[in-house]
Amino acid sequence: MNEAQEAIRLREQGTDEARLRLIALTEQHPRDAVIAYQTAWAHDSAGLEAEAAPFYERALAGDGLSTEDRHGVFVGLGSTYRVLGRYDEALKTLRRGLDEFPDDAALRTFLAMALYNVGEAREAAGTLLKVLAATSADAGVQRYRRAVEYYADHLDDVE
């Protein structure tokens, strides 16, 4: 097992040693998007969002991420920006992620949170209703799925 694999294994176990090893690896391999992503993830998991953001940014700017990891970077960075109060950057990042992963429920959910944070409650609620209709296994939600999807875009309509 190489150094990066060992550090990722430690990150998966939630150890702080992983974060420290990953920082050292990013210094040795500053252009490695996978290591940058893993370093961001380790910081994010430790509640160090401000420290995670630059590593997410580096990962997104780099090459070599798998589709799954690229998706994870969009979710992680968008969510991190939102937690840090950087709402415009969160919206931009999450929308960019949705350009690549248009039907992704996680990206849409975090987008809804960021929309709420900028005062777009109607669009946030509509987005969440569409995610609920598309992903819920609840029989009641599925029975009324078409109505939920319709009203997601017509929350303010009255007769």
Side-chain angles (χ1 to χ4, degrees):
M1 182 178 298
N2 69 30
E3 285 182 80
Q5 291 169 328
E6 176 64 15
I8 291 167
R9 186 185 68 74
L10 290 170
R11 187 209 37 86
E12 290 169 346
Q13 294 175 353
T15 70
D16 197 51
E17 181 183 348
R19 189 177 61 78
L20 300 174
R21 285 189 186 192
L22 285 162
I23 290 170
L25 285 169
T26 61
E27 290 170 3
Q28 294 170 23
H29 308 281
R31 294 176 189 236
D32 189 313
V34 174
I35 291 173
Y37 172 49
Q38 292 294 325
T39 307
W41 192 345
H43 282 81
D44 216 352
S45 297
L48 302 170
E49 289 87 357
E51 291 85 351
F55 292 109
Y56 279 129
E57 292 163 354
R58 187 186 304 183
L60 198 55
D63 295 320
L65 290 174
S66 68
T67 301
E68 181 180 350
D69 284 353
R70 189 160 172 83
H71 171 264
V73 171
F74 281 119
V75 172
L77 182 57
S79 172
T80 294
Y81 281 152
R82 192 194 73 77
V83 167
L84 295 173
R86 296 166 62 177
Y87 303 127
D88 289 339
E89 291 167 285
L91 290 168
K92 181 179 176 185
T93 301
L94 294 164
R95 286 181 172 136
R96 186 173 160 204
L98 283 165
D99 286 345
E100 290 188 34
F101 306 96
D103 297 320
D104 186 75
L107 286 166
R108 291 167 66 201
T109 300
F110 283 102
L111 176 66
M113 288 185 249
L115 287 166
Y116 172 82
N117 291 128
V118 297
E120 297 292 335
R122 185 183 57 69
E123 189 177 349
T127 298
L128 286 177
L129 287 170
K130 289 175 185 176
V131 169
L132 176 68
T135 63
S136 178
D138 182 84
V141 171
Q142 288 308 305
R143 184 176 317 119
Y144 297 104
R145 180 177 177 170
R146 287 183 56 200
V148 171
E149 289 173 333
Y150 174 81
Y151 288 119
D153 290 325
H154 299 90
L155 287 170
D156 296 321
D157 291 2
V158 294
E159 290 191 26

